[in-house]
Amino acid sequence: MTTLLALVPLIAAALIWWLFYRFNRPRRWFSIGELIFWDAIVLVILQLVWLIWF
């Protein structure tokens, strides 16, 4: 169970990337590389919050 808890921030970041992608697809404001960059920032923030919480 604890191993699966470690995947929660990664799954949340993947969901956020998917939402960014869906929002950006009709508008084309950002390239895929920029979306990946911002998702990496979100993943780092989620990991830090997750480590403080647990």
Side-chain angles (χ1 to χ4, degrees), residues 1-21:
M1 184 65 179
T2 58
T3 305
L4 294 177
L5 282 176
L7 295 176
V8 170
L10 185 62
I11 293 168
L15 178 63
I16 290 170
W17 182 87
W18 182 75
L19 291 173
F20 281 167
Y21 178 75

Side-chain angles (χ1 to χ4, degrees), residues 39-49:
D39 188 56
I41 300 289
V42 168
L43 178 59
V44 168
I45 292 170
L46 285 173
Q47 284 284 54
L48 290 173
V49 170

